[in-house]
Amino acid sequence: MAPKYAPSLRGRLPPMTLLLETIFISMFAFFVEYEDPAVIRKIPLTDIYAEFQDVNAMVLLGFGFLATFLVRYSFSGAGFTLLVTSLAVQWAILLDGFLFTFHRGKIRIGMNSLATANLCAASALISMGAVLGKTNPAHLIIMALLEVTGFMANRWILQTFLKVQPIDAIMMLHVFGAYFGLMMSWVLYRSGLEPRHEKEATDRRTGLFATMGALFLWMFWPSFNSVLIGQTHLERKLQAISSTYLSLATSTVAAFFVSVVTSPRGKINMIHIQNASLAGGVAVGVAVSAVDVPWVAMVIGLSAGVVSTLGFRYLKPHLRVVFKCHDTCGVLSVHGMPGILGWAAYFLIQASRLPDITAVLGFTIYHLCTLLLTLGLSLGLGALTGILIKWNIWRPPQDRMCFDDQAYWEFPHLAVHK
Amino acid sequence: MAPKYAPSLRGRLPPMTLLLETIFISMFAFFVEYEDPAVIRKIPLTDIYAEFQDVNAMVLLGFGFLATFLVRYSFSGAGFTLLVTSLAVQWAILLDGFLFTFHRGKIRIGMNSLATANLCAASALISMGAVLGKTNPAHLIIMALLEVTGFMANRWILQTFLKVQPIDAIMMLHVFGAYFGLMMSWVLYRSGLEPRHEKEATDRRTGLFATMGALFLWMFWPSFNSVLIGQTHLERKLQAISSTYLSLATSTVAAFFVSVVTSPRGKINMIHIQNASLAGGVAVGVAVSAVDVPWVAMVIGLSAGVVSTLGFRYLKPHLRVVFKCHDTCGVLSVHGMPGILGWAAYFLIQASRLPDITAVLGFTIYHLCTLLLTLGLSLGLGALTGILIKWNIWRPPQDRMCFDDQAYWEFPHLAVHK
Amino acid sequence: MAPKYAPSLRGRLPPMTLLLETIFISMFAFFVEYEDPAVIRKIPLTDIYAEFQDVNAMVLLGFGFLATFLVRYSFSGAGFTLLVTSLAVQWAILLDGFLFTFHRGKIRIGMNSLATANLCAASALISMGAVLGKTNPAHLIIMALLEVTGFMANRWILQTFLKVQPIDAIMMLHVFGAYFGLMMSWVLYRSGLEPRHEKEATDRRTGLFATMGALFLWMFWPSFNSVLIGQTHLERKLQAISSTYLSLATSTVAAFFVSVVTSPRGKINMIHIQNASLAGGVAVGVAVSAVDVPWVAMVIGLSAGVVSTLGFRYLKPHLRVVFKCHDTCGVLSVHGMPGILGWAAYFLIQASRLPDITAVLGFTIYHLCTLLLTLGLSLGLGALTGILIKWNIWRPPQDRMCFDDQAYWEFPHLAVHK
């Protein structure tokens, strides 16, 4: 019973986190200050505080509890999300400051910085979804720091060289996070976990906790897509909020619809509902600055829900068997494909507004570049991270301890509280 | 074990949802636009965004998780709430637009429309509480669309012919939803579920999930009662918020108090706490435009808590045995009676301010009309909906599959995640 | 099985709550009014509504669900939190009004009063954490009213005689609540619960509910520390929000770090994560008006996380064995020690800004007085409350019914819903 052979975290996690915190705090001491009071009074940065809190809730309660669905891995799902977020956010504040707001040797932070950092942490949590249960916390921390670095670099390249709008660049987080995670999972593939690990299952209890997490994501997704749109563009903000809401509603209906149709006995799969309901938020998010009529948002949401549920039903098992890529939370179906769908919707909407075929052609090439660049960077860095993590020095969990909290948590069956 | 005889959802749910989405999206394409930027900039419609999110949380997490209390029906409770809300909201936006804001062939939507649509969806969820566990999702969708239609008609009649204030008309949602649901449940009565279905029970796990749902409702009820009061009536908004909060506090104390007093062994019943604690929010909501001193709100809350707990303890079993009306979630005690109590409180407060007996008499007749009309319409439509749903074409669940997730959800005891 | 000897609540709880509600409602009728519309329009008191809701969520869902961690005491944890909060808030509004805003015989309440009352209720919930499971609801109500009274008196003395800033005085709630509870727990010590009660344990299910509660506290702690800072001091508000956020991030990392290092098998303890992650919020809260650079907040958070985790690992067992003080939720480690750490941080920051040694000496004495006064009052009143509660008239639960919901809740193993 006692997992006495599970590798202790003692030799890896503490020195790594201590070192990271020392570096982070030193860098904050040298470079980071709070926003200038004069600026705050002009454009009150607390304006977006409520929306920041929504995003905060999505990251910790949403992603955290969506990751509790595995029957014996709930503590790790929620706990490691908290740990990874805590570190990723500090790193994202620094990187974002250095790349985008560095001025006279200082980074000045406000609610905007914290919100941006939370969105970047979310992209790391998406990657984490692909390898959940097969990695230890030290792996996840390395992955999160590299993913955030790569994502920031991608944003910077898109904004600097391709002149992509900041909001469009940051919304690629779904695509970047998903393919980064998938590539990493492909590199880390273990035949020992096949055909299926007995602990890779869900039950009524963890299914309900995961539903709660999914509902947090659902509810606050309008804030996720609109938080970075300033108060000076109120109509854009309102459109982003309403479009996301309507899109979520239709993708939910699509998830129920496709789940029943593709089920041999005409039943609904809760995993589909938890995940595909959110696909509308992802797709509209990526297309957010192009969508300005409600029905378009609804069509995007419906398509995303259909694609995502089909992905869960048919693609996920094939990915595993054919491509040797195991995707624990199905990030390909929730973020990967709906993200590309959103990118395509953005393209169609914008292209339909262009005056002539030359303009369309130019825009096609340009828009294709943004996607290919993001895909290339995420796949490349994901592979690299996978190779780095595969190194035995990080003491990966044995196959039989995968998807099991007992590998990392003090856990007599009924733990006495002390 | 395997529910091989439970009717498949395949023949009903998918065509119905697909048809509905096609209709909704077409209507949105023809009629619905986002609010005019000029209007948004004048009265920023994002002002109420935080409150809209609170109502959103109440609907999905509050009602959704309060409905998870049945020990084997939690997935359906949370899942069908999400499905019904997604469809009801789209329909409510359209109806609300056609009846109240249609202008030059267009419905212009903003945060206000979404908030209103959410409140209307809430009234459908209340009705759903009365028939939970005894209906399939196709039933629930039909019910929700008819309920929302009826409730909108009721609002329109009250506002147009009786000149009821919009906020007062919409707050009748508790009364409308509860009696609609009760009537439907009466029509759908099945003797096969008597004396008591073995699965109609709660346990520590689902009890705690339902408590969480109840707390979400408790917390955000001040927003529910104040979201539609505009920023131009700040003092009314503040009064609605504070009154609701104080009223919830006293109704909670009353729920504990009455639950213990009426228990033979002097113990508390968690079902009472989960539900009767909210009665104060219902009652003050219905009376919201009349309450302007704190102690009155507290007295209303206390009375509502007492009435609601007594209803759970004594009325609910009698309703079942004597009236052959089975009320799964006790909506009579949570929304029905406290709603009428709030209506009576509104009457007493307003009548006490009138100058003479003639005015009081006139107001009595007028105010009685609003209630009788609402009751009449809700009972009538509820009966009609019940008759429509009773039709065997919708494949109702067999008696032994009532209150059981296995009828609708892919559910090996430990479902493997795919 | 049937707990037939557990004392009924009938003779104590109902008369007590009825009496209290009668008194409270009468006092509200005589003294309390809603804020003057003219004032509301000038400084819209709904400005802080979203933050008030965050604090509300922390109190009910945060503290409430953090208290569900005991395997057989979850209903009591969440339920009694709701009951105690409902009563404590009413009492706190009255006391706060009489002591701080009484004007022409009236107390005028707005969002500020409700937020303050919620913070005071939080201090009672902290005390409750020390005696959770060993007291009945009547005890908890008496305790809450006395604790709120003592805390208000402490605030008043600090503000009136020592001219402490209101925000600094109210932030002593962590210190006051923790030591009040600890002293009371010391007085109420029962040797019958030693060496360890079999029911004082946690499991996967309640552990996950408690994690959810902890995450609610984590997320909304920035609002807890900033809600009472007015919109006229936007830069202070922003600093409080960002400092709390960064401090929570570092204390989370510290909790993981120390938990692993001090574990013989190199594993993480979920109890540490749930609690020590929050220590940063406590410490920065107490020091909130002094912290104005990000790295200082991060250092405070890191230290608080370390101190708190060490407290859980080493101090809590000793406190029990050596000092005969049993601290159910570990409030010493979550609020007591991090609170004093925050007080010390405040001292160091302020002292370092003073011009000369005389000023430092004066400030040292002054600042020491605020702590000693708070500690003295909380310990004294805690002892007194303990003695009062020890009285057998309140029918304490027998030793074997401690930490057990069955003593208070109607609870067949699968309760039939009625």
Side-chain angles (χ1 to χ4, degrees):
Chain A
M1 192 78 197
K4 64 176 174 181
Y5 298 110
S8 162
L9 293 172
R10 229 171 178 174
R12 304 290 172 276
L13 193 66
M16 181 190 283
T17 48
L18 189 64
L19 180 71
L20 284 172
E21 277 305 333
T22 314
I23 298 173
F24 289 165
I25 294 181
S26 314
M27 291 178 81
F28 268 80
F30 278 111
F31 298 113
V32 184
E33 281 177 4
Y34 289 128
E35 188 54 276
D36 192 0
V39 175
I40 294 171
R41 260 174 246 129
K42 241 181 295 171
I43 312 157
L45 289 170
T46 48
D47 255 21
I48 61 160
Y49 180 54
E51 290 153 71
F52 160 73
Q53 279 294 17
D54 293 351
V55 175
N56 201 3
M58 289 177 74
V59 167
L60 294 179
L61 281 171
F63 285 106
F65 272 84
L66 191 55
T68 61
F69 74 95
L70 289 169
V71 70
R72 295 173 71 100
Y73 205 65
S74 306
F75 276 22
S76 302
F80 296 162
T81 300
L82 180 63
L83 175 64
V84 163
T85 306
S86 295
L87 284 164
V89 157
Q90 298 175 48
W91 183 228
I93 291 173
L94 289 170
L95 278 185
D96 185 66
F98 286 126
L99 289 176
F100 298 99
T101 66
F102 205 58
H103 182 61
R104 296 200 187 168
K106 288 290 173 194
I107 298 166
R108 295 188 163 275
I109 63 171
M111 291 316 301
N112 237 40
S113 330
L114 295 189
T116 307
N118 257 289
L119 293 180
C120 297
S123 89
L125 295 176
I126 292 169
S127 303
M128 180 173 143
V131 293
L132 192 76
K134 301 167 290 180
T135 41
N136 70 27
H139 291 151
L140 295 176
I141 291 172
I142 299 170
M143 177 220 78
L145 298 182
L146 289 174
E147 204 275 350
V148 168
T149 314
F151 176 60
M152 284 289 182
N154 191 55
R155 272 179 69 199
W156 186 78
I157 294 170
L158 289 183
Q159 290 184 218
T160 312
F161 297 114
L162 293 175
K163 306 292 171 204
V164 173
Q165 292 294 315
I167 180 88
D168 294 333
I170 208 163
M171 279 301 155
M172 290 308 263
L173 70 93
H174 300 289
V175 174
F176 193 94
Y179 293 99
F180 183 100
L182 286 168
M183 195 62 188
M184 188 170 52
S185 190
W186 181 73
V187 173
L188 294 174
Y189 184 78
R190 303 175 178 208
S191 54
L193 298 182
E194 297 304 326
R196 178 171 286 149
H197 199 287
E198 50 160 349
K199 288 169 193 162
E200 200 186 351
T202 185
D203 70 0
R204 284 172 187 272
R205 177 181 59 92
T206 56
L208 216 44
F209 276 112
T211 304
M212 192 191 77
L215 288 178
F216 269 103
L217 290 172
W218 204 104
M219 279 190 330
F220 293 134
W221 214 292
S223 301
F224 195 89
N225 288 348
S226 72
V227 63
L228 293 185
I229 301 173
Q231 295 283 341
T232 42
H233 300 280
L234 270 179
E235 76 282 0
R236 291 291 320 129
K237 207 176 180 83
L238 178 73
Q239 286 171 13
I241 291 170
S242 315
S243 296
T244 308
Y245 185 82
L246 290 170
S247 163
L248 288 164
T250 52
S251 70
T252 303
V253 177
F256 274 92
F257 163 78
V258 180
S259 190
V260 169
V261 161
T262 58
S263 157
R265 292 195 303 185
K267 294 189 191 302
I268 315 159
N269 188 316
M270 189 43 121
I271 303 272
H272 300 172
I273 305 308
Q274 285 161 3
N275 290 284
S277 296
L278 306 171
V282 173
V284 156
V286 176
V288 75
S289 49
V291 179
D292 56 6
V293 277
W295 74 270
V296 172
M298 293 167 81
V299 170
I300 294 176
L302 200 73
S303 326
V306 170
V307 165
S308 179
T309 318
L310 290 176
F312 265 96
R313 187 73 83 179
Y314 301 114
L315 207 60
K316 197 158 172 273
H318 278 86
L319 202 67
R320 184 170 198 160
V321 177
V322 181
F323 291 98
K324 307 271 181 220
C325 174
H326 178 270
D327 177 6
T328 313
C329 298
V331 297
L332 176 66
S333 305
V334 189
H335 300 274
M337 293 193 305
I340 289 183
L341 186 88
W343 171 89
Y346 184 101
F347 171 75
L348 288 177
I349 299 170
Q350 296 291 46
S352 73
R353 289 172 184 161
L354 293 173
D356 54 45
I357 192 73
T358 329
V360 170
L361 213 71
F363 179 68
T364 310
I365 293 165
Y366 161 82
H367 199 56
L368 211 58
C369 281
T370 64
L371 181 67
L372 292 181
L373 209 141
T374 306
L375 279 179
L377 209 57
S378 68
L379 290 171
L381 276 172
L384 221 90
T385 308
I387 291 164
L388 186 67
I389 283 180
K390 215 171 181 173
W391 214 6
N392 246 337
I393 198 179
W394 305 113
R395 296 190 165 200
Q398 305 99 311
D399 287 349
R400 63 176 187 79
M401 294 310 289
C402 281
F403 311 112
D404 196 337
D405 280 337
Q406 292 205 14
Y408 310 114
W409 300 86
E410 286 184 355
F411 224 157
H413 205 64
L414 286 177
V416 172
H417 176 49
K418 45 181 179 176
Chain B
M1 192 78 197
K4 63 176 175 181
Y5 298 112
S8 162
L9 293 173
R10 230 171 178 174
R12 304 289 171 274
L13 193 66
M16 182 190 283
T17 47
L18 190 63
L19 181 70
L20 285 173
E21 278 304 335
T22 315
I23 298 173
F24 289 165
I25 293 181
S26 314
M27 292 178 80
F28 267 80
F30 279 110
F31 299 114
V32 185
E33 282 178 2
Y34 290 127
E35 190 53 278
D36 192 1
V39 176
I40 295 171
R41 260 174 245 127
K42 242 183 294 169
I43 313 157
L45 290 169
T46 47
D47 255 22
I48 61 159
Y49 180 55
E51 290 154 71
F52 160 74
Q53 279 295 17
D54 293 351
V55 175
N56 200 4
M58 288 178 75
V59 166
L60 293 178
L61 281 171
F63 284 106
F65 272 84
L66 192 53
T68 61
F69 74 96
L70 290 169
V71 69
R72 295 173 71 98
Y73 205 64
S74 305
F75 276 22
S76 302
F80 296 162
T81 300
L82 179 63
L83 175 64
V84 164
T85 305
S86 295
L87 284 163
V89 156
Q90 297 176 48
W91 184 227
I93 290 172
L94 288 170
L95 278 186
D96 185 68
F98 285 125
L99 289 176
F100 299 99
T101 65
F102 206 60
H103 183 63
R104 298 197 185 171
K106 288 290 174 197
I107 298 166
R108 296 190 161 275
I109 62 172
M111 291 317 301
N112 238 39
S113 331
L114 295 189
T116 307
N118 257 289
L119 292 180
C120 297
S123 89
L125 295 176
I126 292 168
S127 305
M128 181 173 143
V131 295
L132 193 76
K134 301 167 291 181
T135 41
N136 69 28
H139 290 151
L140 294 176
I141 291 171
I142 299 169
M143 179 219 77
L145 299 182
L146 290 173
E147 204 275 351
V148 168
T149 313
F151 176 61
M152 284 290 182
N154 191 57
R155 272 179 69 199
W156 186 78
I157 294 170
L158 289 183
Q159 291 184 215
T160 312
F161 297 115
L162 293 175
K163 307 290 172 206
V164 173
Q165 294 294 314
I167 178 89
D168 294 333
I170 208 164
M171 278 301 155
M172 290 308 263
L173 70 93
H174 300 291
V175 174
F176 193 95
Y179 292 99
F180 184 100
L182 286 169
M183 195 64 186
M184 189 170 51
S185 190
W186 181 73
V187 173
L188 294 174
Y189 185 78
R190 305 175 176 206
S191 54
L193 298 183
E194 298 302 326
R196 177 172 285 149
H197 200 288
E198 51 160 349
K199 289 170 191 160
E200 201 185 351
T202 185
D203 70 359
R204 284 173 188 273
R205 176 181 60 92
T206 56
L208 216 45
F209 276 113
T211 303
M212 191 192 78
L215 288 178
F216 269 103
L217 291 171
W218 204 104
M219 277 190 332
F220 293 135
W221 214 291
S223 300
F224 196 88
N225 289 347
S226 72
V227 64
L228 294 184
I229 301 173
Q231 296 283 343
T232 42
H233 300 280
L234 269 179
E235 75 282 1
R236 293 288 321 127
K237 208 176 181 79
L238 178 72
Q239 286 170 14
I241 291 170
S242 315
S243 295
T244 308
Y245 185 81
L246 290 171
S247 165
L248 288 164
T250 53
S251 71
T252 302
V253 177
F256 274 92
F257 163 78
V258 181
S259 190
V260 169
V261 161
T262 59
S263 158
R265 292 196 301 187
K267 293 189 190 299
I268 314 161
N269 188 315
M270 189 43 121
I271 302 273
H272 301 172
I273 304 309
Q274 284 162 3
N275 290 284
S277 297
L278 306 171
V282 173
V284 155
V286 177
V288 75
S289 50
V291 179
D292 56 5
V293 278
W295 73 269
V296 171
M298 293 168 83
V299 170
I300 294 176
L302 199 72
S303 324
V306 170
V307 165
S308 179
T309 318
L310 291 176
F312 265 97
R313 186 74 81 178
Y314 300 114
L315 208 59
K316 195 158 174 275
H318 278 86
L319 202 67
R320 181 169 201 162
V321 177
V322 181
F323 290 98
K324 307 273 181 218
C325 174
H326 177 269
D327 178 6
T328 313
C329 298
V331 297
L332 176 65
S333 305
V334 188
H335 299 274
M337 294 193 303
I340 290 184
L341 185 88
W343 171 88
Y346 183 102
F347 171 74
L348 288 176
I349 298 169
Q350 296 292 44
S352 73
R353 287 171 185 163
L354 293 174
D356 54 46
I357 191 73
T358 329
V360 170
L361 213 72
F363 180 68
T364 310
I365 293 166
Y366 161 81
H367 199 54
L368 213 57
C369 281
T370 64
L371 181 67
L372 292 181
L373 210 141
T374 306
L375 279 180
L377 209 59
S378 68
L379 290 171
L381 276 173
L384 222 90
T385 309
I387 291 163
L388 186 67
I389 282 180
K390 216 171 180 171
W391 214 5
N392 245 337
I393 199 178
W394 305 114
R395 297 192 165 196
Q398 306 100 310
D399 287 349
R400 63 176 186 81
M401 294 311 288
C402 283
F403 311 113
D404 196 338
D405 280 338
Q406 293 204 12
Y408 309 115
W409 299 86
E410 285 185 356
F411 223 158
H413 206 65
L414 286 176
V416 172
H417 177 50
K418 46 182 179 176
Chain C
M1 194 78 194
K4 63 176 173 182
Y5 298 112
S8 162
L9 293 172
R10 230 171 178 174
R12 304 289 171 276
L13 192 66
M16 181 190 281
T17 48
L18 190 63
L19 181 71
L20 284 172
E21 277 305 333
T22 316
I23 297 174
F24 289 165
I25 294 182
S26 313
M27 292 178 82
F28 268 80
F30 279 109
F31 298 114
V32 183
E33 282 178 2
Y34 290 127
E35 189 54 277
D36 193 1
V39 175
I40 295 171
R41 259 174 247 129
K42 239 181 297 168
I43 312 157
L45 290 170
T46 47
D47 255 22
I48 61 161
Y49 180 56
E51 290 154 71
F52 160 73
Q53 279 296 16
D54 293 350
V55 175
N56 201 4
M58 289 177 75
V59 166
L60 293 179
L61 281 171
F63 284 107
F65 272 83
L66 191 55
T68 62
F69 73 96
L70 290 169
V71 70
R72 295 173 72 99
Y73 205 65
S74 305
F75 276 22
S76 302
F80 296 162
T81 300
L82 180 63
L83 176 64
V84 163
T85 306
S86 295
L87 285 164
V89 157
Q90 298 176 48
W91 182 228
I93 291 173
L94 288 170
L95 278 185
D96 186 66
F98 285 126
L99 289 175
F100 298 101
T101 66
F102 205 58
H103 182 60
R104 297 200 186 167
K106 288 290 173 196
I107 298 165
R108 296 188 161 276
I109 62 171
M111 290 318 301
N112 237 39
S113 329
L114 294 189
T116 307
N118 257 289
L119 293 181
C120 297
S123 88
L125 294 176
I126 293 168
S127 303
M128 182 174 143
V131 294
L132 193 77
K134 302 167 290 180
T135 43
N136 69 27
H139 290 151
L140 294 176
I141 293 172
I142 298 170
M143 178 219 77
L145 298 182
L146 290 174
E147 205 274 351
V148 168
T149 314
F151 176 60
M152 285 289 182
N154 191 56
R155 271 179 70 201
W156 187 78
I157 293 170
L158 289 182
Q159 290 184 216
T160 314
F161 296 114
L162 293 175
K163 306 292 172 204
V164 172
Q165 293 294 314
I167 179 88
D168 293 333
I170 208 164
M171 278 302 155
M172 290 308 263
L173 70 93
H174 300 290
V175 174
F176 194 95
Y179 292 99
F180 184 99
L182 286 169
M183 195 63 187
M184 189 169 52
S185 190
W186 182 73
V187 173
L188 294 174
Y189 185 79
R190 305 174 176 207
S191 53
L193 298 182
E194 298 302 327
R196 177 172 286 150
H197 198 288
E198 51 161 347
K199 288 169 192 161
E200 201 185 350
T202 186
D203 70 0
R204 283 172 188 273
R205 178 182 58 92
T206 56
L208 216 45
F209 276 112
T211 303
M212 191 192 78
L215 288 178
F216 269 103
L217 291 171
W218 203 104
M219 277 189 333
F220 293 135
W221 214 292
S223 300
F224 195 87
N225 288 348
S226 72
V227 63
L228 293 184
I229 301 172
Q231 296 281 343
T232 42
H233 299 280
L234 270 178
E235 76 282 2
R236 292 288 322 127
K237 209 176 180 80
L238 178 73
Q239 286 170 12
I241 291 170
S242 316
S243 296
T244 309
Y245 185 81
L246 290 171
S247 164
L248 288 164
T250 52
S251 71
T252 301
V253 177
F256 274 92
F257 163 76
V258 180
S259 190
V260 169
V261 162
T262 59
S263 157
R265 290 196 304 186
K267 292 189 190 302
I268 314 161
N269 188 315
M270 189 44 121
I271 302 273
H272 300 173
I273 304 308
Q274 285 161 2
N275 289 283
S277 297
L278 306 170
V282 173
V284 155
V286 176
V288 74
S289 50
V291 179
D292 56 5
V293 277
W295 73 271
V296 171
M298 294 168 83
V299 171
I300 294 176
L302 199 73
S303 325
V306 170
V307 165
S308 180
T309 317
L310 290 176
F312 265 96
R313 187 72 83 180
Y314 301 113
L315 208 60
K316 197 158 171 274
H318 278 86
L319 202 67
R320 183 168 200 162
V321 176
V322 181
F323 290 99
K324 308 273 180 217
C325 175
H326 178 268
D327 178 5
T328 313
C329 297
V331 297
L332 176 65
S333 305
V334 189
H335 299 274
M337 294 193 302
I340 290 184
L341 186 88
W343 171 89
Y346 184 102
F347 171 76
L348 288 175
I349 299 169
Q350 296 292 44
S352 72
R353 287 170 185 164
L354 292 174
D356 55 46
I357 192 72
T358 329
V360 170
L361 213 71
F363 179 68
T364 309
I365 294 166
Y366 161 81
H367 198 55
L368 212 57
C369 281
T370 65
L371 181 67
L372 293 181
L373 209 141
T374 305
L375 279 179
L377 210 58
S378 69
L379 290 171
L381 276 172
L384 221 91
T385 307
I387 291 165
L388 186 68
I389 282 181
K390 216 171 181 172
W391 214 5
N392 246 337
I393 200 179
W394 304 115
R395 296 192 164 197
Q398 306 99 310
D399 287 349
R400 64 176 185 82
M401 294 309 289
C402 281
F403 311 113
D404 196 338
D405 280 337
Q406 292 206 13
Y408 309 114
W409 300 85
E410 286 184 355
F411 224 156
H413 205 65
L414 286 176
V416 172
H417 176 48
K418 46 179 179 179

